[in-house]
Each structure stands twice: as C-alpha cells, then as structure tokens.
Amino acid sequence: MSNEQTFIAIKPDGVQRGLVGPIISRFEQRGFKLVAMKLCSPSKEHLEKHYADLSGKPFFNGLVTYMLSGPIVAMVWEGREVVKTGRAILGATNPLASPPGTIRGDYAIDVGRNVCHGSDSVENAKKEIALWFNENELISYKQAQFDWIYEKA
Ligand code: GDP
Ligand code: MG
C-alpha cells in the first residue's frame, strides 16, 4: 500500500534549533509524500491526550512540559511502509542508542530532548492524525515523482 500514512512531529527543541528543514528533507529525499503540515502550539490537554499511553511514567509531567515549551511542526507523510520506515528515519527513542544517519543519532543526545516524534504503528498513526488534523487539512494530490519512486502502485 503506497498510501499508508504516519504522523511525524518536530518537537519544540527541533524547531528552536533550526532543524525543521533538515528533518523534512530526510522524508522528502526518501520519496515520501507530504500530506499535511502546520506550525502549532497545542494545549496541555491535547499533549496529554497525545501521550496518554505514557501517563503512568515518571517522566510524563516533564514530557508534557517539554512539549509545551515552544511551537511544534506537525506533519502527515504518506508512502509504502511509511510508519515503520519513519521510525527508522527518526532512530531510537534514546538518541545515544541511535546510530549516526538517523535524525536522533545525528542531532540529539538526551531522551528528553530527542527532537522528533513518529507514530509507532499504523493503528496509532490513524489515531494521532485524527487528533492533530482535521480531515480538510489532509491534502490529496498525485506526487509528480510517484512513478519514479514506485515500480507498482
Ligand atoms: P518514541 O515513540 O520513540 O518517541 O518513545 P516513547 O513513545 O516511548 O516516548 C515518548 C517520548 O517520551 C520520547 O520520545 C521521549 O521524548 C520521552 N521519553 C521516553 N522515555 C523517556 C525517559 O526515560 N525519560 C525521559 N525524560 N523522557 C522519556
Ligand atoms: Mg511513542
């Protein structure tokens, strides 16, 4: 399925450190299609909902404070196996365990400042996309380079 979608976000540290361009470039250059993008400052409630699965963790409050510390770039990217491949492009949750060549392995050190988010399953991607975007913000178009990226749709 070349129309799988994932939710990718550039966290406040990534925005403030001028990493928006380099992070977007990695998804563009791989061949994935940008479907939605906005710079936003979500509420505490929104971020608590986004990370609801982690609400019992000792770092949860710090995580929400971190995510509230500045604007976030929220995006939807589309393409074959983009959920799994997006996670590979981001790297491991702990940047020190993430090899060079990954976003976190190239640009981050601490787990609590790991510059980016990516959905961890197709099911969670659907939930996250619905939480962060209205349906009319998801843009439907044919990627001009589609036939140069995919052998078959
Ligand atoms: P991800 O899917 O790779 O982002 O990792 P998780 O879903 O497990 O955690 C969500 C986010 O919480 C991570 O990206 C980190 O920013 C943060 N986080 C996870 N584990 C830790 C931890 O042990 N300590 C701190 N301070 N933050 C953490
Ligand atoms: Mg996660």
Side-chain angles (χ1 to χ4, degrees), residues 118-134:
S119 308
D120 62 8
S121 67
V122 173
E123 194 192 337
N124 283 336
K126 287 186 180 143
K127 283 188 206 158
E128 292 175 358
I129 291 167
L131 176 66
W132 288 77
F133 289 97
N134 295 321

